[in-house]
Coordinates of all heavy atoms in Angstrom, one line a residue:
G208 N -13.0 -7.8 -25.6 CA -13.0 -6.7 -26.6 C -11.6 -6.5 -27.2 O -11.4 -5.5 -27.9
I209 N -10.6 -7.4 -27.0 CA -9.3 -7.2 -27.6 C -9.1 -8.0 -28.8 O -9.2 -9.2 -28.8 CB -8.2 -7.5 -26.5 CG1 -8.4 -6.5 -25.4 CG2 -6.8 -7.4 -27.0 CD1 -7.3 -6.4 -24.3
E210 N -8.7 -7.3 -29.9 CA -8.6 -8.1 -31.1 C -7.1 -8.1 -31.6 O -6.4 -7.2 -31.3 CB -9.3 -7.2 -32.2 CG -10.7 -7.2 -31.9 CD -11.6 -7.1 -33.2 OE1 -11.1 -7.6 -34.3 OE2 -12.7 -6.5 -33.2
L211 N -6.8 -9.2 -32.2 CA -5.4 -9.4 -32.7 C -5.1 -8.4 -33.8 O -4.0 -7.8 -33.9 CB -5.3 -10.8 -33.3 CG -4.0 -11.3 -33.8 CD1 -2.9 -11.3 -32.6 CD2 -4.1 -12.7 -34.4
G212 N -6.1 -8.0 -34.6 CA -5.9 -7.0 -35.7 C -4.7 -7.3 -36.6 O -4.6 -8.4 -37.0
D213 N -3.9 -6.3 -36.9 CA -2.9 -6.4 -37.8 C -1.5 -6.8 -37.2 O -0.4 -6.6 -37.8 CB -2.7 -5.2 -38.7 CG -2.5 -3.9 -37.8 OD1 -2.3 -4.1 -36.6 OD2 -2.5 -2.8 -38.3
L214 N -1.5 -7.1 -35.9 CA -0.2 -7.4 -35.3 C 0.5 -8.6 -36.0 O -0.2 -9.6 -36.3 CB -0.5 -7.9 -33.9 CG 0.7 -7.9 -32.9 CD1 1.3 -6.6 -32.7 CD2 0.3 -8.5 -31.5
Q215 N 1.7 -8.4 -36.4 CA 2.4 -9.4 -37.2 C 2.8 -10.6 -36.3 O 3.0 -10.5 -35.1 CB 3.7 -8.8 -37.7 CG 3.6 -7.7 -38.7 CD 2.6 -8.2 -39.9 OE1 3.0 -9.1 -40.6 NE2 1.5 -7.6 -40.1
P216 N 2.9 -11.8 -36.9 CA 3.3 -13.0 -36.1 C 4.6 -12.8 -35.4 O 5.6 -12.2 -36.0 CB 3.4 -14.1 -37.2 CG 2.6 -13.7 -38.3 CD 2.7 -12.1 -38.3
G217 N 4.7 -13.1 -34.1 CA 5.9 -12.9 -33.3 C 6.0 -11.5 -32.7 O 6.9 -11.3 -31.9
A218 N 5.2 -10.6 -33.1 CA 5.3 -9.2 -32.6 C 4.5 -9.1 -31.3 O 3.5 -9.8 -31.0 CB 4.8 -8.2 -33.6
V219 N 5.0 -8.1 -30.5 CA 4.4 -7.9 -29.1 C 3.9 -6.4 -29.1 O 4.6 -5.6 -29.7 CB 5.4 -8.1 -28.0 CG1 4.9 -7.6 -26.7 CG2 5.8 -9.5 -27.9
R220 N 2.8 -6.1 -28.5 CA 2.3 -4.8 -28.4 C 1.8 -4.6 -26.9 O 1.1 -5.4 -26.3 CB 1.1 -4.5 -29.3 CG 0.5 -3.1 -29.2 CD -0.6 -3.0 -30.1 NE -0.2 -3.1 -31.6 CZ -1.0 -3.4 -32.6 NH1 -2.3 -3.6 -32.3 NH2 -0.6 -3.5 -33.7
E221 N 2.2 -3.5 -26.3 CA 1.7 -3.2 -25.0 C 0.4 -2.5 -25.1 O 0.2 -1.6 -25.9 CB 2.7 -2.2 -24.3 CG 2.2 -2.0 -22.8 CD 3.2 -1.2 -22.0 OE1 4.4 -1.0 -22.4 OE2 2.8 -0.8 -20.8
L222 N -0.6 -3.0 -24.2 CA -1.9 -2.4 -24.3 C -2.0 -1.4 -23.1 O -1.4 -1.5 -22.1 CB -2.9 -3.5 -24.1 CG -2.8 -4.6 -25.1 CD1 -3.7 -5.8 -24.7 CD2 -3.3 -4.1 -26.5
D223 N -3.0 -0.5 -23.3 CA -3.3 0.4 -22.2 C -4.1 -0.4 -21.2 O -5.3 -0.8 -21.4 CB -4.2 1.6 -22.7 CG -4.7 2.5 -21.6 OD1 -4.8 2.0 -20.5 OD2 -4.9 3.7 -21.9
I224 N -3.5 -0.7 -20.1 CA -4.1 -1.7 -19.2 C -5.5 -1.3 -18.6 O -6.4 -2.2 -18.5 CB -3.1 -2.1 -18.0 CG1 -3.6 -3.3 -17.2 CG2 -2.9 -0.9 -17.0 CD1 -2.4 -4.0 -16.4
L225 N -5.6 0.0 -18.4 CA -6.9 0.5 -17.9 C -8.0 0.3 -18.9 O -9.1 -0.2 -18.7 CB -6.9 1.9 -17.4 CG -5.8 2.1 -16.2 CD1 -5.7 3.6 -16.0 CD2 -6.2 1.3 -15.0
E226 N -7.7 0.6 -20.1 CA -8.6 0.5 -21.2 C -8.9 -1.0 -21.5 O -10.0 -1.4 -21.7 CB -8.0 1.2 -22.5 CG -8.9 1.1 -23.8 CD -10.2 1.7 -23.6 OE1 -10.4 2.6 -22.7 OE2 -11.2 1.2 -24.3
A227 N -7.9 -1.8 -21.5 CA -8.0 -3.2 -21.7 C -8.9 -3.8 -20.6 O -9.7 -4.7 -21.0 CB -6.7 -3.8 -21.7
E228 N -8.8 -3.4 -19.4 CA -9.6 -4.0 -18.4 C -11.1 -3.7 -18.6 O -11.9 -4.5 -18.4 CB -9.2 -3.4 -17.0 CG -8.0 -4.1 -16.5 CD -7.4 -3.6 -15.2 OE1 -7.7 -2.3 -15.0 OE2 -6.9 -4.3 -14.4
R229 N -11.3 -2.5 -19.2 CA -12.6 -2.1 -19.5 C -13.3 -2.9 -20.5 O -14.4 -3.3 -20.4 CB -12.7 -0.6 -19.9 CG -13.1 0.3 -18.8 CD -13.5 1.7 -19.3 NE -12.3 2.4 -19.9 CZ -11.4 3.0 -19.1 NH1 -11.6 3.0 -17.8 NH2 -10.4 3.6 -19.6
V230 N -12.5 -3.3 -21.6 CA -13.1 -4.1 -22.7 C -13.0 -5.5 -22.4 O -13.8 -6.3 -23.0 CB -12.5 -3.7 -24.0 CG1 -12.8 -2.3 -24.4 CG2 -11.0 -4.0 -24.1
L231 N -12.1 -5.9 -21.5 CA -12.0 -7.4 -21.2 C -13.0 -7.8 -20.1 O -13.6 -8.9 -20.2 CB -10.6 -7.8 -20.7 CG -9.5 -8.0 -21.8 CD1 -8.2 -7.9 -21.1 CD2 -9.7 -9.3 -22.4
L232 N -13.2 -6.9 -19.2 CA -14.0 -7.3 -18.0 C -15.0 -6.2 -17.7 O -15.1 -5.7 -16.6 CB -13.1 -7.4 -16.8 CG -12.0 -8.5 -16.9 CD1 -10.9 -8.2 -15.8 CD2 -12.6 -9.8 -16.7
P233 N -15.8 -5.9 -18.7 CA -16.8 -4.8 -18.6 C -17.7 -5.0 -17.3 O -18.0 -4.1 -16.6 CB -17.5 -4.7 -19.8 CG -17.3 -6.0 -20.6 CD -16.0 -6.5 -20.0

Side-chain angles (χ1 to χ4, degrees):
I209 296 192
E210 298 209 27
L211 184 61
D213 59 4
L214 192 65
Q215 293 304 299
V219 171
R220 178 180 299 156
E221 183 173 351
L222 301 169
D223 176 334
I224 194 162
L225 299 174
E226 178 56 25
E228 281 175 331
R229 259 193 293 281
V230 296
L231 278 163
L232 299 161

